[in-house]
Amino acid sequence: MNFGHFDDANKEYVITTPDTPLPWINYLGSQDFFSLISNTCGGYSFYKDAKLLRITRYRYNNIPVDSNGKYYYIKDGDSIWNPGAMPTRTSLDAYECRHGLGYSRFHGEKNGLAADLLAFVPVDTPCEINKLTLKNNSDAAKEISLFSYVEFCLWNAVDDMTNYQRNLSTGEVEIIGSTIYHKTEYRERRNHYSFFTVNAPVDGFDTSRDDFLGLGRGNNNPIAVEEGKSRNSVASGWYPIASQQINVTLAPGEEKEFVFLLGYCENPKDDKWEAPNVIKKDPAKKIMEKFAASQQVDAAFAQLNAYWDELLSRYHVESQDPHVNRMANIWNQYQCMVTFNMSRSASYYESGTGRGMGFRDSCQDLLGFVHLIPERARERILDIAATQFEDGSAYHQYQPLTKQGNLDIGSGFNDDPLWLIAAVAAYLKETGDYAILDEMVAFDCHMEKAATLFEHLRRSFEYSRTHLGPHKLPLIGRADWNDCLNLNCFSNEPGESFQTTGPSEGPVAESVFIAGMYVKYGNEFAEICRRVGKEKEAEIAQKAVDEMYQAVLDAGWDGEWFLRAYDAASQKVGSHECEEGQIFIEPQGFCIIAGIGVKEGLAKKALDSVKERLDTKYGIMLHQPAYTRYYLNLGEISSYPPGYKENAGIFCHNNPWISIAETVIGRGNRAFEIYKKTCPSYIENISEIHRTEPYVYSQMIAGRDAARHGEAKNSWLTGTAAWTFVNLSQAILGVQPTYDGLSIDPCIPEGFGDFTLTRRFRGATYYFDVKNPNNVVKGVAYLEVDGKQVKGNVVPVEDGKKEYHVTVHMA
Ligand code: BGC
Ligand code: NOJ
């Protein structure tokens, strides 16, 4: 069942009912100012950091669900309604929400009045623009009252939800004409404030929530709107809001436009603070002047669209499969941008106050983003690396605003260091910018402890090399990619938090998954060493990698698949000998991506086992059988009911690993079958089962053991975005950036047909024309580069050449 449809020409998903199974959201903003916005106008805004600089208030866990946002009430006679249906939920004669790239549009209609709302964050200004157009489609004149509504958050979102004894006395606003300034915290010498304004004279306003709503009422029936009369309230403490009333007369056929702006401002840091509660209005004024007229707003909107057109032109495929085209050219790349921006901080499932930027998460997000804006990827790499400790381990998370590592979580996830190598290798291949390796980067967020980025990579590898267990496999520490496989958590008391107790690293618990990473990214490290002339170091690294390869064959193979781990008592995890959890997805994917077992014939066996034991129609499960009871030696993984999350859920993130692994052994049909199972566009028509947004990936789909098999959770912020893009663009369609240039080696399903692909790379544009007359799944006979025949898969780079026309002859 569908609740809307894709509009590919406009790069939009069109939602045709407010009654989606869950709020279906979008992200506005791509640099500093961000908003989350649902298909019923719920959501919130923040500047850079959803925890520390939250501009508007949102209530997670609220009832009704998703009932705070930026709302416009239309009072037309006795009927009161909102263009996005919420919060009044008055039934509308027409409703539509279009989520596009960095913007959302709403169309509501009631009793001959149409309201069109366009919400977006311009590319270069810290504000959200809401352009509201009202049109009278009836034959009679209309006198209506329009009320706006946003509720301010008192900046620090955690404090805002907890410290009421203080907060209820700190709120301050200032009202000048049509503009409401929110200046809480200004008095204490923070230099930020926000404002909400409209480009028209107002007939009233409210800044006190209780006055506007009326005590005992909700935002579904504010008293001021019901009575058609703002209270002109001035908030002093309590709950500051911004609401404007505008009375509008519309002749039949007449249309009026209003531009509402929510802006964020900072005053100069060296401000003298002579009158501490008097905010300097100039920055706000600048923003208001910039978007005072509809034409300016339209120009900013055109600029936003051009921005996205340019970004997406860097990778574009035209195949015969509309799902592939749509995901590769629009939604998958879009989600990569969002995950890059948000890491795991703010979504409808991440509260914005919790996880911030994840070390392993952001390193992986970068893999799907680096081709879009390499300069931002560069900056991110340096930020992430600065949260590494001198011994090569790393803070597991850091705060986006302060860029300080999170001390509560600390370190000890032993896969983290290797992800840094993954990110840097991807960046180097994309850009050829070896200078990044010479950048001085802090350790432990302290510049006094800085060293070059290359040194950081060296420490990453050294940490892994020197933390091996009895089977010469990497020690797992607190967990590896699977946060819930806590093999050293045997000391956890019932009810204690899994990740903050227990020894961070036991002497023996080992991870075969990290071993796969070690081989893959150890090879990358050795290659980077070679590229910068450190031959000796490359040799040492290579030797260590070769030993690890052997260790996996010796102690990491279970007979039909790769083992998952050894626990703290050196017992096998993910073996046919286990009672439950006999086979896990992660090592099958990553060991084979690393090439382990390919020439030994183990890869095919392992992947066949995955198909036989882990596959479902909705995707591949993490492990089987699911854990039916809690295991002290395994930790959080067994705390979930069977089929959910890490306990045998379908983690979308590592499905592409298996798909990529299938391309490693050349099975294009199976690789694509796996791709399709979790691909949003392919499963749009089971939206009533899947429930999350059909245009983006979710973190998890309930596995076979769950009552709600097929139901997805945690949409948007997942490494799935990056890994599926890597899978589709590099493994299936086969265009890979390498140190020496772009290589192409598709691995496609039979019947996929010919396709063309445009790829921007290091300042040049590559036009690939892939011909597959014999319908093979893999194999390139030769390339023709601008008419010249070339052997191998890499397009040779010619200095100064701006365009490459490459015909790829598969055979
Ligand atoms: C979740 C994991 C997540 C972790 C983060 C766990 O409860 O199951 O998916 O990575 O929390 O701390
Ligand atoms: C979500 C976390 O953000 C990610 O880091 C982790 O790898 C997966 N959960 C699996 O546990």
PDB file of all heavy atoms in Angstrom, residues 355 483-484 499 636 640 645-646 651 699, ligand 1:
ATOM      1  N   ARG A 355      23.517  11.075  20.999  1.00  0.00           N
ATOM      2  CA  ARG A 355      24.751  10.507  20.490  1.00  0.00           C
ATOM      3  C   ARG A 355      25.651  11.457  19.710  1.00  0.00           C
ATOM      4  O   ARG A 355      26.802  11.151  19.476  1.00  0.00           O
ATOM      5  CB  ARG A 355      24.418   9.283  19.644  1.00  0.00           C
ATOM      6  CG  ARG A 355      23.680   8.245  20.494  1.00  0.00           C
ATOM      7  CD  ARG A 355      23.885   6.862  19.999  1.00  0.00           C
ATOM      8  NE  ARG A 355      23.039   6.530  18.887  1.00  0.00           N
ATOM      9  CZ  ARG A 355      23.415   5.730  17.897  1.00  0.00           C
ATOM     10  NH1 ARG A 355      24.621   5.244  17.862  1.00  0.00           N
ATOM     11  NH2 ARG A 355      22.583   5.446  16.932  1.00  0.00           N
ATOM     12  N   ASP A 483      27.392  -2.715  18.208  1.00  0.00           N
ATOM     13  CA  ASP A 483      27.494  -2.083  19.522  1.00  0.00           C
ATOM     14  C   ASP A 483      27.001  -2.961  20.652  1.00  0.00           C
ATOM     15  O   ASP A 483      27.286  -2.701  21.820  1.00  0.00           O
ATOM     16  CB  ASP A 483      26.624  -0.820  19.531  1.00  0.00           C
ATOM     17  CG  ASP A 483      27.407   0.399  19.106  1.00  0.00           C
ATOM     18  OD1 ASP A 483      28.588   0.477  19.446  1.00  0.00           O
ATOM     19  OD2 ASP A 483      26.819   1.269  18.443  1.00  0.00           O
ATOM     20  N   CYS A 484      26.194  -3.928  20.295  1.00  0.00           N
ATOM     21  CA  CYS A 484      25.524  -4.710  21.332  1.00  0.00           C
ATOM     22  C   CYS A 484      26.199  -6.048  21.595  1.00  0.00           C
ATOM     23  O   CYS A 484      25.748  -6.814  22.440  1.00  0.00           O
ATOM     24  CB  CYS A 484      24.069  -4.924  20.939  1.00  0.00           C
ATOM     25  SG  CYS A 484      23.222  -3.363  20.743  1.00  0.00           S
ATOM     26  N   GLN A 499      26.951  -0.021  28.201  1.00  0.00           N
ATOM     27  CA  GLN A 499      28.176   0.477  27.606  1.00  0.00           C
ATOM     28  C   GLN A 499      29.034   1.282  28.555  1.00  0.00           C
ATOM     29  O   GLN A 499      30.081   1.752  28.180  1.00  0.00           O
ATOM     30  CB  GLN A 499      27.829   1.296  26.378  1.00  0.00           C
ATOM     31  CG  GLN A 499      27.093   0.421  25.390  1.00  0.00           C
ATOM     32  CD  GLN A 499      27.058   1.016  24.024  1.00  0.00           C
ATOM     33  OE1 GLN A 499      27.477   2.141  23.829  1.00  0.00           O
ATOM     34  NE2 GLN A 499      26.570   0.267  23.072  1.00  0.00           N
ATOM     35  N   GLU A 636      24.294  -6.753  25.533  1.00  0.00           N
ATOM     36  CA  GLU A 636      23.085  -6.078  25.067  1.00  0.00           C
ATOM     37  C   GLU A 636      22.400  -6.796  23.906  1.00  0.00           C
ATOM     38  O   GLU A 636      21.179  -6.735  23.747  1.00  0.00           O
ATOM     39  CB  GLU A 636      23.389  -4.633  24.680  1.00  0.00           C
ATOM     40  CG  GLU A 636      22.121  -3.842  24.327  1.00  0.00           C
ATOM     41  CD  GLU A 636      22.357  -2.370  24.035  1.00  0.00           C
ATOM     42  OE1 GLU A 636      23.505  -1.908  24.138  1.00  0.00           O
ATOM     43  OE2 GLU A 636      21.382  -1.674  23.697  1.00  0.00           O
ATOM     44  N   TYR A 640      17.540  -7.641  23.558  1.00  0.00           N
ATOM     45  CA  TYR A 640      16.403  -7.316  22.694  1.00  0.00           C
ATOM     46  C   TYR A 640      15.537  -8.548  22.483  1.00  0.00           C
ATOM     47  O   TYR A 640      16.054  -9.664  22.373  1.00  0.00           O
ATOM     48  CB  TYR A 640      16.892  -6.844  21.326  1.00  0.00           C
ATOM     49  CG  TYR A 640      17.436  -5.440  21.315  1.00  0.00           C
ATOM     50  CD1 TYR A 640      18.792  -5.198  21.119  1.00  0.00           C
ATOM     51  CD2 TYR A 640      16.583  -4.354  21.469  1.00  0.00           C
ATOM     52  CE1 TYR A 640      19.292  -3.904  21.097  1.00  0.00           C
ATOM     53  CE2 TYR A 640      17.075  -3.059  21.447  1.00  0.00           C
ATOM     54  CZ  TYR A 640      18.424  -2.836  21.256  1.00  0.00           C
ATOM     55  OH  TYR A 640      18.905  -1.557  21.233  1.00  0.00           O
ATOM     56  N   LYS A 645      16.275  -5.127  16.341  1.00  0.00           N
ATOM     57  CA  LYS A 645      17.591  -4.497  16.465  1.00  0.00           C
ATOM     58  C   LYS A 645      18.710  -5.543  16.339  1.00  0.00           C
ATOM     59  O   LYS A 645      18.647  -6.426  15.513  1.00  0.00           O
ATOM     60  CB  LYS A 645      17.675  -3.726  17.788  1.00  0.00           C
ATOM     61  CG  LYS A 645      16.789  -2.493  17.833  1.00  0.00           C
ATOM     62  CD  LYS A 645      17.408  -1.312  17.129  1.00  0.00           C
ATOM     63  CE  LYS A 645      18.496  -0.690  17.965  1.00  0.00           C
ATOM     64  NZ  LYS A 645      19.067   0.498  17.328  1.00  0.00           N
ATOM     65  N   GLU A 646      19.723  -5.419  17.203  1.00  0.00           N
ATOM     66  CA  GLU A 646      20.885  -6.285  17.030  1.00  0.00           C
ATOM     67  C   GLU A 646      20.599  -7.756  17.338  1.00  0.00           C
ATOM     68  O   GLU A 646      21.427  -8.605  17.069  1.00  0.00           O
ATOM     69  CB  GLU A 646      22.059  -5.778  17.887  1.00  0.00           C
ATOM     70  CG  GLU A 646      22.834  -4.618  17.276  1.00  0.00           C
ATOM     71  CD  GLU A 646      22.254  -3.247  17.582  1.00  0.00           C
ATOM     72  OE1 GLU A 646      21.069  -3.172  17.981  1.00  0.00           O
ATOM     73  OE2 GLU A 646      22.974  -2.240  17.424  1.00  0.00           O
ATOM     74  N   PHE A 651      19.487  -5.610   9.878  1.00  0.00           N
ATOM     75  CA  PHE A 651      20.186  -4.324   9.941  1.00  0.00           C
ATOM     76  C   PHE A 651      20.510  -3.917   8.517  1.00  0.00           C
ATOM     77  O   PHE A 651      21.305  -4.559   7.836  1.00  0.00           O
ATOM     78  CB  PHE A 651      21.461  -4.442  10.789  1.00  0.00           C
ATOM     79  CG  PHE A 651      21.396  -3.599  12.023  1.00  0.00           C
ATOM     80  CD1 PHE A 651      20.715  -4.054  13.150  1.00  0.00           C
ATOM     81  CD2 PHE A 651      21.969  -2.343  12.058  1.00  0.00           C
ATOM     82  CE1 PHE A 651      20.614  -3.257  14.287  1.00  0.00           C
ATOM     83  CE2 PHE A 651      21.880  -1.541  13.190  1.00  0.00           C
ATOM     84  CZ  PHE A 651      21.205  -1.991  14.309  1.00  0.00           C
ATOM     85  N   GLN A 699      17.338   2.215   9.774  1.00  0.00           N
ATOM     86  CA  GLN A 699      18.436   1.432  10.346  1.00  0.00           C
ATOM     87  C   GLN A 699      18.098  -0.054  10.370  1.00  0.00           C
ATOM     88  O   GLN A 699      18.919  -0.895  10.073  1.00  0.00           O
ATOM     89  CB  GLN A 699      18.709   1.906  11.781  1.00  0.00           C
ATOM     90  CG  GLN A 699      19.858   1.171  12.450  1.00  0.00           C
ATOM     91  CD  GLN A 699      19.790   1.255  13.973  1.00  0.00           C
ATOM     92  OE1 GLN A 699      18.779   0.957  14.596  1.00  0.00           O
ATOM     93  NE2 GLN A 699      20.889   1.703  14.561  1.00  0.00           N
TER      94      GLN A 699
HETATM   95  C1  BGC B   1      21.491   0.179  19.950  1.00  0.00           C
HETATM   96  C2  BGC B   1      22.569   0.281  18.908  1.00  0.00           C
HETATM   97  C3  BGC B   1      23.273   1.572  19.048  1.00  0.00           C
HETATM   98  C4  BGC B   1      23.741   1.784  20.466  1.00  0.00           C
HETATM   99  C5  BGC B   1      24.347   3.138  20.621  1.00  0.00           C
HETATM  100  C6  BGC B   1      22.085   0.396  21.310  1.00  0.00           C
HETATM  101  O1  BGC B   1      21.078   0.340  22.269  1.00  0.00           O
HETATM  102  O2  BGC B   1      20.897  -1.080  19.865  1.00  0.00           O
HETATM  103  O3  BGC B   1      22.018   0.144  17.621  1.00  0.00           O
HETATM  104  O4  BGC B   1      24.371   1.597  18.200  1.00  0.00           O
HETATM  105  O5  BGC B   1      22.696   1.638  21.374  1.00  0.00           O
HETATM  106  O6  BGC B   1      24.813   3.376  21.873  1.00  0.00           O
END
